[in-house]
Every structure is written in C-alpha cells, then in structure tokens.
Amino acid sequence: MVRYLFQAERKTSLREGINEMEFRNNEAIYLQIAAFVSEKILRGIWLPDEKIPSVRDLAIELEVNPNTVMRTYEFLQSQEVIYNKRGIGFFVTSDGIKKVKAYRKERFLQQDLPEFFRNIYLLEIPLEELQSRYETFRSENFKSE
C-alpha cells in the first residue's frame, strides 16, 4: 500500500477543515488528493451516497490539473471509496467511510505504530503523559465531534 495513502497534509487546523493543500515532493499528487478526499469522507463532510465535487470544481479548489483529479477519482473508484453515476458525477459509496478507515488503520498499525512505540521507548515517555496529551489534543481539535 502507498505510504501516505489516505492521509492529507493540511495548512489549516483540524477544526477549520482543509482549504489548501500543501503538496509533498515525495508522493504523487493524485495520491495526496486521494488523502484529501478521504479526510473529507472520514470527517463526515462528504457523506455516503452524496455527490462530491466535480473533477473540474475540485481541480479549481486545489489549483491542480483536472486530469490529476480524474486520476484521483479513478483510483478511489478502484478502491471502492467512490462511484460514478454516468452523466451526474461522483458519489461516496455507502461503505466509503469503512473502506477509508480500513486503509488508514492498516497503514497506521503496520507503519506508524511501530515507529511511535520505538520513540516512546527510546525517549522514556510515560503512558500517562501520552494520555494527557491525547486528551488535550482531542479537546482542542474535536470539541463538538
């Protein structure tokens, strides 16, 4: 699986949403846009069976070539996260949230968590401090969720 699949870089805070992409050089732009779309789906901004922005509209919003957005949408279709209603547009699949969570969870457990545990061990960070910081993060970023 692609290293950063379904995780978007953002300039704005989690509460404000994602308005501007900050593209990384080490990953294909279409995959970064897939992460952006996936984040919108996970956060409930784009709901199952609801229409998502057209290729042209998303390309304008993100200031990228429409062909890049089309490649993103084709990729997400192959992952069964979105589907196309010919002549109408693209929609989130009924289990799109489940699909995105599965990809992100697997990536986190396989790639990020071992590194995270390694750092906790090497830096001797107590679990109580992690718990406290996690609670602070949640309260500051997800007050109403």
Side-chain angles (χ1 to χ4, degrees):
M1 193 98 264
V2 179
R3 179 157 167 72
Y4 293 102
L5 188 59
F6 303 110
Q7 287 190 306
E9 288 289 316
R10 55 192 149 286
K11 286 186 178 180
T12 58
S13 77
L14 291 172
R15 292 295 305 153
E16 294 169 339
I18 303 170
N19 294 324
E20 230 178 284
M21 292 282 302
E22 192 172 290
F23 294 108
R24 297 179 301 274
N25 290 329
N26 63 345
E27 182 181 29
I29 291 174
Y30 84 96
L31 292 174
Q32 293 177 64
I33 297 170
F36 171 88
V37 170
S38 298
E39 180 97 2
K40 294 278 192 179
I41 293 167
L42 275 182
R43 300 206 56 230
I45 297 166
W46 297 351
L47 300 171
D49 297 311
E50 288 191 6
K51 191 174 187 299
I52 63 174
S54 70
V55 169
R56 183 182 308 269
D57 289 345
L58 190 58
I60 290 168
E61 180 183 343
L62 299 178
E63 299 177 351
V64 297
N65 188 306
N67 293 329
T68 305
V69 174
M70 189 62 210
R71 185 171 181 195
T72 297
Y73 281 8
E74 288 170 348
F75 170 75
L76 290 172
Q77 266 190 284
S78 74
Q79 302 299 313
E80 300 175 351
V81 172
I82 64 173
Y83 65 95
N84 186 10
K85 284 187 181 178
R86 191 172 177 97
I88 299 174
F90 289 92
F91 294 74
V92 177
T93 60
S94 59
D95 63 346
I97 293 171
K98 182 176 138 186
K99 297 278 185 181
V100 171
K101 279 185 182 180
Y103 293 129
R104 287 184 76 163
K105 182 177 181 179
E106 186 60 29
R107 182 204 178 273
F108 178 78
L109 293 174
Q110 294 295 321
Q111 296 179 20
D112 297 339
L113 196 57
E115 180 68 19
F116 180 73
F117 284 152
R118 181 178 175 275
N119 284 325
I120 289 170
Y121 174 77
L122 291 173
L123 299 173
E124 299 177 356
I125 300 171
L127 293 177
E128 296 78 21
E129 183 175 349
L130 291 175
Q131 179 68 33
S132 172
R133 288 178 183 251
Y134 174 72
E135 293 302 328
T136 300
F137 169 81
R138 274 186 58 189
S139 68
E140 289 175 355
N141 293 286
F142 300 99
K143 291 177 183 155
S144 64
E145 294 182 26

mmCIF file of all heavy atoms in Angstrom, residues 17-36:
data_model
loop_
_atom_site.group_PDB
_atom_site.id
_atom_site.type_symbol
_atom_site.label_atom_id
_atom_site.label_comp_id
_atom_site.label_asym_id
_atom_site.label_seq_id
_atom_site.Cartn_x
_atom_site.Cartn_y
_atom_site.Cartn_z
ATOM 1 N N GLY A 17 -10.997 22.699 8.917
ATOM 2 C CA GLY A 17 -11.166 21.939 7.687
ATOM 3 C C GLY A 17 -9.970 22.131 6.776
ATOM 4 O O GLY A 17 -9.007 22.791 7.120
ATOM 5 N N ILE A 18 -10.061 21.556 5.619
ATOM 6 C CA ILE A 18 -8.953 21.629 4.670
ATOM 7 C C ILE A 18 -9.364 22.525 3.528
ATOM 8 O O ILE A 18 -10.297 22.234 2.812
ATOM 9 C CB ILE A 18 -8.599 20.228 4.140
ATOM 10 C CG1 ILE A 18 -8.270 19.303 5.295
ATOM 11 C CG2 ILE A 18 -7.456 20.294 3.166
ATOM 12 C CD1 ILE A 18 -8.136 17.856 4.893
ATOM 13 N N ASN A 19 -8.674 23.635 3.378
ATOM 14 C CA ASN A 19 -8.976 24.541 2.293
ATOM 15 C C ASN A 19 -7.849 24.610 1.283
ATOM 16 O O ASN A 19 -8.081 24.911 0.135
ATOM 17 C CB ASN A 19 -9.265 25.947 2.830
ATOM 18 C CG ASN A 19 -10.525 25.960 3.665
ATOM 19 O OD1 ASN A 19 -11.464 25.254 3.366
ATOM 20 N ND2 ASN A 19 -10.514 26.745 4.710
ATOM 21 N N GLU A 20 -6.644 24.358 1.720
ATOM 22 C CA GLU A 20 -5.499 24.493 0.861
ATOM 23 C C GLU A 20 -4.605 23.280 1.029
ATOM 24 O O GLU A 20 -4.285 22.907 2.147
ATOM 25 C CB GLU A 20 -4.712 25.731 1.299
ATOM 26 C CG GLU A 20 -4.375 26.667 0.193
ATOM 27 C CD GLU A 20 -3.646 27.869 0.739
ATOM 28 O OE1 GLU A 20 -4.284 28.728 1.335
ATOM 29 O OE2 GLU A 20 -2.416 27.912 0.552
ATOM 30 N N MET A 21 -4.215 22.672 -0.067
ATOM 31 C CA MET A 21 -3.307 21.534 0.001
ATOM 32 C C MET A 21 -1.878 22.045 0.049
ATOM 33 O O MET A 21 -1.542 23.035 -0.587
ATOM 34 C CB MET A 21 -3.471 20.646 -1.230
ATOM 35 C CG MET A 21 -4.774 19.914 -1.329
ATOM 36 S SD MET A 21 -4.914 18.465 -0.296
ATOM 37 C CE MET A 21 -3.567 17.461 -0.825
ATOM 38 N N GLU A 22 -1.073 21.355 0.795
ATOM 39 C CA GLU A 22 0.361 21.604 0.812
ATOM 40 C C GLU A 22 1.006 20.332 0.288
ATOM 41 O O GLU A 22 1.168 19.364 1.025
ATOM 42 C CB GLU A 22 0.814 21.918 2.238
ATOM 43 C CG GLU A 22 2.209 22.469 2.301
ATOM 44 C CD GLU A 22 2.541 22.939 3.702
ATOM 45 O OE1 GLU A 22 1.977 23.954 4.136
ATOM 46 O OE2 GLU A 22 3.352 22.261 4.348
ATOM 47 N N PHE A 23 1.316 20.306 -1.009
ATOM 48 C CA PHE A 23 1.782 19.089 -1.640
ATOM 49 C C PHE A 23 3.221 18.770 -1.249
ATOM 50 O O PHE A 23 4.065 19.648 -1.151
ATOM 51 C CB PHE A 23 1.666 19.204 -3.165
ATOM 52 C CG PHE A 23 0.241 19.290 -3.639
ATOM 53 C CD1 PHE A 23 -0.277 20.479 -4.121
ATOM 54 C CD2 PHE A 23 -0.583 18.183 -3.582
ATOM 55 C CE1 PHE A 23 -1.594 20.556 -4.540
ATOM 56 C CE2 PHE A 23 -1.900 18.241 -4.002
ATOM 57 C CZ PHE A 23 -2.405 19.434 -4.487
ATOM 58 N N ARG A 24 3.468 17.468 -1.029
ATOM 59 C CA ARG A 24 4.802 16.968 -0.710
ATOM 60 C C ARG A 24 5.467 16.507 -2.006
ATOM 61 O O ARG A 24 4.801 16.001 -2.904
ATOM 62 C CB ARG A 24 4.705 15.780 0.253
ATOM 63 C CG ARG A 24 4.098 16.117 1.594
ATOM 64 C CD ARG A 24 4.010 14.871 2.486
ATOM 65 N NE ARG A 24 3.202 13.798 1.901
ATOM 66 C CZ ARG A 24 1.884 13.700 2.027
ATOM 67 N NH1 ARG A 24 1.200 14.602 2.691
ATOM 68 N NH2 ARG A 24 1.230 12.693 1.473
ATOM 69 N N ASN A 25 6.769 16.639 -2.058
ATOM 70 C CA ASN A 25 7.513 16.237 -3.247
ATOM 71 C C ASN A 25 7.716 14.735 -3.346
ATOM 72 O O ASN A 25 7.981 14.217 -4.414
ATOM 73 C CB ASN A 25 8.885 16.920 -3.286
ATOM 74 C CG ASN A 25 8.764 18.404 -3.546
ATOM 75 O OD1 ASN A 25 7.854 18.849 -4.228
ATOM 76 N ND2 ASN A 25 9.677 19.174 -2.986
ATOM 77 N N ASN A 26 7.595 14.010 -2.228
ATOM 78 C CA ASN A 26 7.937 12.590 -2.213
ATOM 79 C C ASN A 26 6.751 11.670 -2.487
ATOM 80 O O ASN A 26 6.857 10.467 -2.269
ATOM 81 C CB ASN A 26 8.576 12.224 -0.871
ATOM 82 C CG ASN A 26 7.638 12.430 0.303
ATOM 83 O OD1 ASN A 26 6.614 13.100 0.183
ATOM 84 N ND2 ASN A 26 7.981 11.870 1.441
ATOM 85 N N GLU A 27 5.627 12.219 -2.953
ATOM 86 C CA GLU A 27 4.443 11.409 -3.211
ATOM 87 C C GLU A 27 3.668 11.996 -4.379
ATOM 88 O O GLU A 27 3.564 13.212 -4.519
ATOM 89 C CB GLU A 27 3.569 11.380 -1.962
ATOM 90 C CG GLU A 27 2.344 10.521 -2.110
ATOM 91 C CD GLU A 27 1.485 10.527 -0.857
ATOM 92 O OE1 GLU A 27 1.485 11.522 -0.128
ATOM 93 O OE2 GLU A 27 0.805 9.523 -0.637
ATOM 94 N N ALA A 28 3.095 11.137 -5.187
ATOM 95 C CA ALA A 28 2.320 11.578 -6.348
ATOM 96 C C ALA A 28 1.160 12.483 -5.898
ATOM 97 O O ALA A 28 0.496 12.201 -4.900
ATOM 98 C CB ALA A 28 1.777 10.373 -7.105
ATOM 99 N N ILE A 29 0.916 13.538 -6.650
ATOM 100 C CA ILE A 29 -0.127 14.499 -6.306
ATOM 101 C C ILE A 29 -1.499 13.826 -6.257
ATOM 102 O O ILE A 29 -2.297 14.095 -5.370
ATOM 103 C CB ILE A 29 -0.108 15.704 -7.268
ATOM 104 C CG1 ILE A 29 1.158 16.530 -7.023
ATOM 105 C CG2 ILE A 29 -1.353 16.565 -7.100
ATOM 106 C CD1 ILE A 29 1.384 17.659 -8.002
ATOM 107 N N TYR A 30 -1.765 12.910 -7.192
ATOM 108 C CA TYR A 30 -3.087 12.288 -7.184
ATOM 109 C C TYR A 30 -3.331 11.500 -5.899
ATOM 110 O O TYR A 30 -4.455 11.420 -5.415
ATOM 111 C CB TYR A 30 -3.309 11.433 -8.440
ATOM 112 C CG TYR A 30 -2.776 10.022 -8.383
ATOM 113 C CD1 TYR A 30 -3.612 8.966 -8.031
ATOM 114 C CD2 TYR A 30 -1.456 9.746 -8.703
ATOM 115 C CE1 TYR A 30 -3.138 7.661 -7.987
ATOM 116 C CE2 TYR A 30 -0.970 8.457 -8.663
ATOM 117 C CZ TYR A 30 -1.806 7.419 -8.307
ATOM 118 O OH TYR A 30 -1.329 6.138 -8.267
ATOM 119 N N LEU A 31 -2.273 10.920 -5.315
ATOM 120 C CA LEU A 31 -2.421 10.198 -4.051
ATOM 121 C C LEU A 31 -2.644 11.162 -2.888
ATOM 122 O O LEU A 31 -3.384 10.864 -1.953
ATOM 123 C CB LEU A 31 -1.209 9.315 -3.790
ATOM 124 C CG LEU A 31 -1.050 8.141 -4.748
ATOM 125 C CD1 LEU A 31 0.257 7.409 -4.483
ATOM 126 C CD2 LEU A 31 -2.234 7.194 -4.654
ATOM 127 N N GLN A 32 -2.013 12.324 -2.969
ATOM 128 C CA GLN A 32 -2.233 13.328 -1.932
ATOM 129 C C GLN A 32 -3.661 13.869 -1.999
ATOM 130 O O GLN A 32 -4.287 14.128 -0.976
ATOM 131 C CB GLN A 32 -1.206 14.451 -2.068
ATOM 132 C CG GLN A 32 0.211 13.972 -1.769
ATOM 133 C CD GLN A 32 1.233 15.051 -1.966
ATOM 134 O OE1 GLN A 32 1.214 16.055 -1.261
ATOM 135 N NE2 GLN A 32 2.136 14.862 -2.916
ATOM 136 N N ILE A 33 -4.172 13.996 -3.214
ATOM 137 C CA ILE A 33 -5.564 14.424 -3.367
ATOM 138 C C ILE A 33 -6.498 13.313 -2.879
ATOM 139 O O ILE A 33 -7.534 13.596 -2.266
ATOM 140 C CB ILE A 33 -5.861 14.840 -4.820
ATOM 141 C CG1 ILE A 33 -5.007 16.054 -5.197
ATOM 142 C CG2 ILE A 33 -7.344 15.154 -5.004
ATOM 143 C CD1 ILE A 33 -5.020 16.414 -6.671
ATOM 144 N N ALA A 34 -6.130 12.061 -3.092
ATOM 145 C CA ALA A 34 -6.922 10.944 -2.564
ATOM 146 C C ALA A 34 -6.982 11.026 -1.040
ATOM 147 O O ALA A 34 -8.027 10.763 -0.432
ATOM 148 C CB ALA A 34 -6.332 9.607 -3.011
ATOM 149 N N ALA A 35 -5.888 11.419 -0.422
ATOM 150 C CA ALA A 35 -5.865 11.602 1.033
ATOM 151 C C ALA A 35 -6.795 12.736 1.441
ATOM 152 O O ALA A 35 -7.526 12.639 2.435
ATOM 153 C CB ALA A 35 -4.440 11.878 1.503
ATOM 154 N N PHE A 36 -6.802 13.799 0.673
ATOM 155 C CA PHE A 36 -7.681 14.944 0.922
ATOM 156 C C PHE A 36 -9.147 14.516 0.862
ATOM 157 O O PHE A 36 -9.941 14.805 1.757
ATOM 158 C CB PHE A 36 -7.383 16.024 -0.127
ATOM 159 C CG PHE A 36 -8.338 17.175 -0.154
ATOM 160 C CD1 PHE A 36 -8.136 18.275 0.658
ATOM 161 C CD2 PHE A 36 -9.428 17.182 -1.010
ATOM 162 C CE1 PHE A 36 -9.013 19.354 0.620
ATOM 163 C CE2 PHE A 36 -10.307 18.252 -1.054
ATOM 164 C CZ PHE A 36 -10.095 19.344 -0.233
#
